[in-house]
Amino acid sequence: QTLLLCIMQIVADPSDVCDESILDKFCKRCQKCRIPTIKSTGCNHIQCNYGAHWCYKCGAGPFTQGSECYAHMAEKHNSFVD
């Protein structure tokens, strides 16, 4: 319930977030904008609202192009999904 409330606060106002330790336990952050991100399924390529591309699996990035992120995932993880 605390995590749900935390996520609801982030959606409502990203500057008014819950306890940082909860965010760091359940979220990963974009290396460019530091906005907490939760990925439930799908590809590990994340593109933030500010144009940065990054790897959800290991946090590598930010990359300027999605193709750089895919090249990273192919080389380091041999896959685009978990």
Side-chain angles (χ1 to χ4, degrees):
Q1 185 176 16
T2 302
L3 178 60
L4 178 59
L5 176 60
C6 177
I7 293 168
M8 290 170 60
Q9 286 177 342
I10 293 168
V11 171
D13 184 358
S15 65
D16 182 27
V17 297
C18 62
D19 188 304
E20 292 291 315
S21 65
I22 294 173
L23 288 177
D24 291 338
K25 184 175 181 179
F26 294 100
C27 304
K28 295 187 180 182
R29 295 178 184 266
C30 171
Q31 296 299 316
K32 181 176 182 179
C33 66
R34 305 300 299 157
I35 291 178
T37 306
I38 296 174
K39 180 186 84 79
S40 57
T41 62
C43 183
N44 286 314
H45 167 231
I46 305 293
Q47 181 177 1
C48 81
N49 292 337
Y50 300 96
H53 301 263
W54 57 283
C55 176
Y56 192 85
K57 185 166 187 159
C58 70
F63 303 104
T64 56
Q65 301 290 322
S67 60
E68 295 171 317
C69 186
Y70 284 109
H72 157 79
M73 291 187 296
E75 180 183 333
K76 299 294 183 185
H77 308 300
N78 297 318
S79 177
F80 303 138
V81 295
D82 290 329

